[in-house]
């Protein structure tokens, strides 16, 4: 089945997001999953969904575009 841009398609995460903490008596780190992210190929942006310290946070990352003078 073909889809068009007007049809809503379920997006699945393309990236996992982690923060690290020190392990006691070790040089290694604990990797703590805190969210997921999706790439939006049409706009070049990334949607991020975090669950950090009990707060659900949604972010959108846009490519930097310098202002014209």
């Amino acid at each position: 089945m073909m889809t068009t841009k007007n049809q809503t398609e379920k997006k699945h995460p393309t990236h996992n997001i982690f923060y690290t903490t020190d392990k006691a008596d070790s040089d290694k780190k604990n990797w703590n999953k805190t969210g997921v992210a999706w790439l939006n190929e049409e706009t070049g942006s990334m949607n991020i969904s975090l669950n950090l310290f009990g707060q659900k946070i949604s972010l959108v990352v846009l490519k930097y575009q310098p202002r014209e003078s």
Side-chain angles (χ1 to χ4, degrees):
M1 177 175 150
M2 289 184 66
T3 60
T4 65
K5 288 183 182 181
N6 294 334
Q7 292 175 318
T8 304
E9 185 177 311
K10 177 117 171 117
K11 300 283 184 185
H12 296 283
T14 56
H15 294 74
N16 289 310
I17 301 170
F18 298 86
Y19 68 93
T20 61
T21 54
D22 291 332
K23 280 187 181 181
D25 300 324
S26 176
D27 290 337
K28 297 189 179 203
K29 302 277 187 178
N30 288 316
W31 285 67
N32 306 285
K33 186 174 178 183
T34 189
V36 293
W38 296 261
L39 291 175
N40 184 332
E41 293 179 14
E42 289 180 24
T43 63
S45 66
M46 178 178 277
N47 298 326
I48 298 174
S49 178
L50 299 175
N51 189 350
L52 193 57
F53 307 116
Q55 297 289 323
K56 290 188 179 185
I57 303 165
S58 296
L59 304 170
V60 177
V61 179
L62 302 174
K63 287 185 179 180
Y64 176 75
Q65 295 182 358
R67 293 184 183 185
E68 293 184 21
S69 302

